[in-house]
Amino acid sequence: MHQLIAEMTLEEKAGLVSGAAFWSTRPVERLSIPAVTMTDGPHGVRMQRQSADHLGLNASEPATCFPTASSTGSTWNPELLAEMGEALAHESRALGVDILLGPGVNIKRSPLCGRNFEYFSEDPFHAGVMGAAFVRGVQSQGVGTSLKHFAANNQETDRMRIDAQVDERTLREIYFPAFERIIREAAPTTVMCSYNKVNGLHASQNSWLLTDMLRKEWGFNGYVVSDWGAVGDPVAAVAAGLDLEMPSTGDRSVNAIIEAVNSGVLDESLLDLAVSRILTVHENLLSTRTSAPVVDFDAHHALAGRIAAEGTVLLSNEGHLLPLSAAEGDTIAVIGEFARTPRYQGAGSSHVNPTRLDDALTAIQAATTRTVEFAAGFTFDGDRNEQLHAEAIALAARSSVVVMFLGLPPQNESEGFDRSHILLPETQRNLLDAIARVNRNIVVILSNGGAVSLQGIIGTAPSILEMWLGGQASGTAAADLIFGTAQPGGRLAETIPHSLAQTPAFVNWPGENGVVRYGEGLYVGYRWYDHTEQDVAFPFGYGLSYTTFNCISMTVTVPDNTKAQASVEISVTNAGNRAGAEVVQVYVTDNEASVSRPRRELKGFTKVWLEPGEVKNLLVELDERAFAFWGTAGWTVEPGTFTIHAGPNSRDLPLAEVLTLNVPQQSTILDTESTLQEWASHPAGLTVLKQAMIRMGQSADALTNEESLPIFGSMPLRTILGFAQQANAVEFDVDEALANLLSAVESA
Ligand code: BGC
């Protein structure tokens, strides 16, 4: 590699770190360095042969449109994600794509984010596990991935320049962990930096993000590619640790880099570093290549359908209305344009040209011998149409059951902009009300990328299935779920709130004057609703099934309680009479934290398939990070008790066990600003302080006894020394005395 770089001219090196075109890197033919092709991603291959664009507007080659991340995240099934990743890689290979631009693992900070359909979760542990599986699957077939968008890209409003102001602890505990886990566990070939600024600096020019975090702390050894058009200053970007600017800017960036190296502004070794990272990744990818596979599109379509069913969350099923009998019963009314014209993917760069498209109406008709009649009820764009409205009500009145396909019209959510509300179109809500007056047997099937308010639907429709944007086979999956040939296997990866006003980022969204403050800090998603003790429509982790499960017992084993590590064994059974899958979730509470911590946080989960009556024992391992918070001295586990909770969702955790960790107490580092309380709780600090008091002829505990500590505790020691000097008219230099005390602590 070094030899190859040494043979490259400055022009060739500058050319390599700046794309050749929209989707490819520059080849260096004389040195046999090939061009590499990348394309979106994440849930289908969007390979464009003609006019290129990154907004999903121009045509692309047919490829399987798998369910979007809102659906795949809801499967809570990493193995399935890995399988999807393998299928995506086969299609990538067949279309000549070397790197697929995904997964997207940004946290769903607000349901309003227009791109939530491309992200897995409101929880970083969950997003990390799912994303790692995706990367493993794709890369196992010799295709690269791009973990995106790093970092704090949680909204579309002003996304190219908004300054996300987020404190370090929140970044470390909420917005970074998915990236960190995936880098450590699955080694993605590339990471894509985001457009936005993070604490004042564009991500593409942010060396703390691109060099300190990614490489030095997490050991990332792939290369960083810019989001398309995210680079303002290509020289500053290379200096910060960005390796490849995409797409090409013609000669502009290349010339700027050449000039910067020639004038000494950019150290050529930094350019060499970027070149070597790019070449290493490309060489590894190309060397593992066998011939392109023949793609089994039928199998991929079936897989897309299986994932869509597993990602569907059964939110409510009063009176066991679902599943419907396919053989017996009167007319089934299928209502809603989305039954005929599916909403199955989102708009923007992830837009896929599907190989085929199943609609639910045809699939339902094919799956039953019952009479199925259809009424559109409203237009695809969500507009009210009196005739459609009336026809739908009439059909509902003469049918035995109504299956209503509701959801967000396509113009409501997309990459590039955020929603301004979380309501379904009024027309749809009115239609549901009107239908409920003539027929109470209503199944609502929802298609939406981001969470919607279900007020007016809960309690009106006995059965609600949230299908998200379920990909090209979601129509068939819907029919399978309706008639029970598939089980709704999904659990919510995002809380469904009652209203927008109760959501965590509400008062800070979407920022103003170019700045968005993450004022809610750590309290995102369920962490917020739990901390503020709010009722929600459906909690994180929630989802019903056509059967019922019981978490029977839990055993927590701590092999050595001076270390933060535990094994959790849970026994679960299927108490119903149908087979199905349960997701057993493990949450950890720090009972005695010295800092504000969420009430409980997801730290492990397992999905398990159970036949009726079957019992299985599951094992969830908790590592040190499961107990830690980001403190002033880095990742910190404090000694004390922790509660391990297990159960089917974040608000239904029937099993709980308390464990005690006797890990060493990490003492705070004392400095010139430290308070008396901090000195008193520092083992060496207290001794040094007491000795000094005795030397001054004072009682050793005059300041640190139970009476005085609450009063003086929050004062910096420097201030107290100053008071002492004044009160006793003692001649000493306060700063010098403090420095002596600090050095005594250091050498203690
Ligand atoms: C998106 C990325 C995408 C890129 C290339 C950008 O607009 O933010 O997610 O990979 O375009 O299409």
Side-chain angles (χ1 to χ4, degrees):
M1 184 62 62
H2 289 305
Q3 185 54 38
L4 185 58
I5 296 171
E7 283 176 37
M8 291 173 80
T9 63
L10 177 57
E11 289 68 21
E12 285 166 345
K13 289 190 285 189
L16 196 72
V17 301
S18 178
F22 226 84
W23 302 116
S24 58
T25 59
R26 290 178 206 240
V28 183
E29 269 140 29
R30 99 186 159 83
L31 296 171
S32 306
I33 298 174
V36 154
T37 302
M38 45 192 78
T39 198
D40 291 298
H43 51 264
V45 186
R46 194 170 73 91
M47 177 60 179
Q48 295 182 313
R49 298 238 187 259
Q50 275 98 37
S51 312
D53 76 303
H54 64 298
L55 296 172
L57 303 172
N58 298 332
S60 59
E61 296 295 304
T64 307
C65 179
F66 286 97
T68 62
S70 50
S71 163
T72 58
S74 301
T75 66
W76 294 62
N77 185 343
E79 283 78 36
L80 197 55
L81 257 266
E83 209 179 321
M84 173 174 136
E86 284 176 29
L88 284 167
H90 288 165
E91 296 196 18
S92 301
R93 293 285 317 283
L95 288 166
V97 173
D98 302 299
I99 296 174
L100 189 69
L101 302 175
V105 298
N106 296 100
I107 294 297
K108 300 183 200 232
R109 176 176 175 240
S110 162
L112 294 178
C113 175
R115 241 179 145 174
N116 272 1
F117 70 90
E118 274 189 76
Y119 302 141
F120 292 119
S121 187
E122 71 185 21
D123 178 84
F125 177 83
H126 174 271
V129 171
M130 301 308 281
F134 178 101
V135 169
R136 264 198 305 275
V138 174
Q139 294 192 175
S140 70
Q141 306 303 306
V143 172
T145 55
S146 200
L147 182 61
K148 64 191 188 181
H149 309 87
F150 188 63
N153 178 188
N154 309 95
Q155 65 185 56
E156 292 301 284
T157 307
D158 210 8
R159 68 169 167 159
M160 311 271 309
R161 53 178 197 176
I162 192 92
D163 181 11
Q165 295 198 353
V166 201
D167 66 85
E168 183 172 352
R169 183 174 170 208
T170 300
L171 286 172
R172 298 269 192 174
E173 291 189 34
I174 303 293
Y175 296 101
F176 285 174
F179 289 94
E180 182 181 357
R181 173 176 296 276
I182 297 165
I183 286 167
R184 289 187 194 275
E185 290 182 2
T189 51
T190 78
V191 167
M192 187 188 293
C193 78
S194 58
Y195 287 123
N196 52 287
K197 300 187 191 97
V198 179
N199 294 327
L201 208 55
H202 271 290
S204 63
Q205 289 165 219
N206 196 319
S207 66
W208 183 66
L209 291 177
L210 305 188
T211 298
D212 297 350
M213 287 302 110
L214 284 184
R215 300 184 193 284
K216 292 191 185 153
E217 286 208 21
W218 306 337
F220 174 58
N221 59 12
Y223 69 79
V224 181
V225 57
S226 71
D227 199 344
W228 267 231
V231 175
D233 178 342
V235 174
V238 172
L242 183 98
D243 303 301
L244 174 63
E245 177 186 10
M246 286 298 284
S248 167
T249 58
D251 289 336
R252 188 154 45 91
S253 301
V254 181
N255 290 342
I257 291 169
I258 294 171
E259 205 181 302
V261 171
N262 285 336
S263 63
V265 169
L266 180 68
D267 188 340
E268 192 166 356
S269 66
L270 292 173
L271 178 61
D272 288 355
L273 198 58
V275 168
S276 93
R277 288 173 185 144
I278 294 172
L279 290 178
T280 307
V281 167
H282 290 177
E283 197 178 280
N284 287 343
L285 279 177
L286 301 176
S287 69
T288 54
R289 277 295 136 81
T290 48
S291 56
V294 176
V295 176
D296 186 345
F297 285 109
D298 288 340
H300 289 187
H301 185 75
L303 174 62
R306 199 149 51 84
I307 301 171
E310 249 203 80
T312 298
V313 186
L314 179 62
L315 294 173
S316 129
N317 197 18
E318 285 163 35
H320 302 285
L321 181 57
L322 282 176
L324 303 182
S325 165
E328 285 161 30
D330 295 333
T331 302
I332 300 174
V334 174
I335 291 176
E337 183 56 49
F338 296 145
R340 182 170 60 181
T341 317
R343 259 242 59 219
Y344 63 101
Q345 66 172 326
S349 59
S350 68
H351 194 268
V352 177
N353 176 13
T355 55
R356 52 202 240 215
L357 183 56
D358 295 351
D359 67 276
L361 178 58
T362 308
I364 292 169
Q365 283 164 333
T368 180
T369 50
R370 293 171 68 173
T371 306
V372 176
E373 283 191 55
F374 172 70
F378 51 85
T379 67
F380 187 60
D381 291 335
D383 297 335
R384 186 171 170 122
N385 173 306
E386 292 313 327
Q387 193 188 335
L388 297 181
H389 188 84
E391 282 169 6
I393 297 168
L395 171 60
R398 64 174 186 269
S399 303
S400 65
V401 61
V402 179
V403 182
M404 277 190 90
F405 285 81
L406 305 180
L408 290 177
Q411 70 274 18
N412 272 28
E413 50 182 355
S414 166
E415 175 178 342
F417 64 88
D418 296 315
R419 282 186 291 167
S420 57
H421 62 78
I422 56 168
L423 301 174
L424 287 172
E426 202 181 349
T427 333
Q428 295 184 22
R429 288 180 280 136
N430 289 345
L431 183 62
L432 175 64
D433 286 347
I435 283 177
R437 277 182 236 119
V438 298
N439 192 330
R440 300 297 299 182
N441 291 332
I442 303 172
V443 175
V444 163
I445 300 192
L446 292 162
S447 303
N448 43 283
V452 291
S453 163
L454 298 176
Q455 269 183 345
I457 298 179
I458 303 168
T460 303
S463 296
I464 308 172
L465 279 169
E466 174 56 87
M467 284 203 80
W468 308 108
L469 299 179
Q472 66 178 45
S474 56
T476 300
D480 290 346
L481 292 166
I482 291 166
F483 297 114
T485 45
Q487 312 300 314
R491 302 292 184 267
L492 291 177
E494 59 195 291
T495 307
I496 301 187
H498 289 300
S499 71
L500 181 61
Q502 71 169 145
T503 60
F506 184 65
V507 296
N508 287 303
W509 181 276
E512 55 202 10
N513 303 323
V515 171
V516 54
R517 289 194 181 81
Y518 284 38
E520 69 287 354
L522 308 168
Y523 297 97
V524 175
Y526 65 91
R527 289 166 170 80
W528 167 260
Y529 301 107
D530 289 349
H531 197 74
T532 54
E533 298 184 349
Q534 294 188 68
D535 188 41
V536 296
F538 296 105
F540 177 79
Y542 173 88
L544 301 173
S545 171
Y546 291 155
T547 182
T548 50
F549 303 97
N550 282 335
C551 287
I552 311 168
S553 62
M554 173 169 76
T555 314
V556 181
T557 315
V558 181
D560 170 0
N561 76 359
T562 63
K563 296 200 175 77
Q565 209 189 323
S567 303
V568 184
E569 240 188 288
I570 301 146
S571 158
V572 56
T573 185
N574 179 347
N577 49 20
R578 275 172 174 270
E582 175 64 311
V583 178
V584 179
Q585 302 161 34
V586 175
Y587 295 78
V588 176
T589 301
D590 185 348
N591 297 319
E592 300 163 35
S594 65
V595 294
S596 172
R597 292 198 73 178
R599 291 226 173 152
R600 52 189 161 265
E601 297 182 280
L602 181 75
K603 297 296 173 184
F605 64 86
T606 309
K607 188 165 197 176
V608 61
W609 180 264
L610 291 161
E611 296 297 324
E614 193 179 356
V615 180
K616 274 190 185 156
N617 292 327
L618 318 171
L619 183 66
V620 170
E621 297 286 0
L622 299 177
D623 60 10
E624 190 171 341
R625 193 63 75 78
F627 300 92
F629 62 87
W630 182 257
T632 47
W635 288 109
T636 306
V637 180
E638 291 179 331
T641 66
F642 293 79
T643 306
I644 312 300
H645 312 262
N649 70 63
S650 65
R651 289 210 168 163
D652 182 6
L653 297 165
L655 304 176
E657 201 175 311
V658 177
L659 61 85
T660 305
L661 292 181
N662 289 322
V663 293
Q665 175 86 51
Q666 277 180 15
S667 44
T668 38
I669 298 165
L670 296 178
D671 60 24
T672 52
E673 287 278 294
S674 298
T675 62
L676 180 63
Q677 176 66 60
E678 284 159 358
W679 279 83
S681 49
H682 188 286
L686 184 63
T687 315
V688 166
L689 196 57
K690 283 189 168 171
Q691 284 164 355
M693 301 275 289
I694 292 166
R695 276 201 304 278
M696 285 164 67
Q698 307 274 339
S699 142
D701 70 347
L703 282 172
T704 54
N705 65 32
E706 271 178 29
E707 239 171 78
S708 41
L709 198 55
I711 302 168
F712 297 110
S714 64
M715 282 187 192
L717 189 62
R718 172 200 268 134
T719 313
I720 295 173
L721 289 174
F723 289 163
Q725 186 201 44
Q726 290 301 317
N728 304 326
V730 204
E731 275 308 310
F732 68 87
D733 182 313
V734 169
D735 290 332
E736 199 183 310
L738 190 57
N740 288 341
L741 290 171
L742 284 168
S743 77
V745 169
E746 217 167 281
S747 49

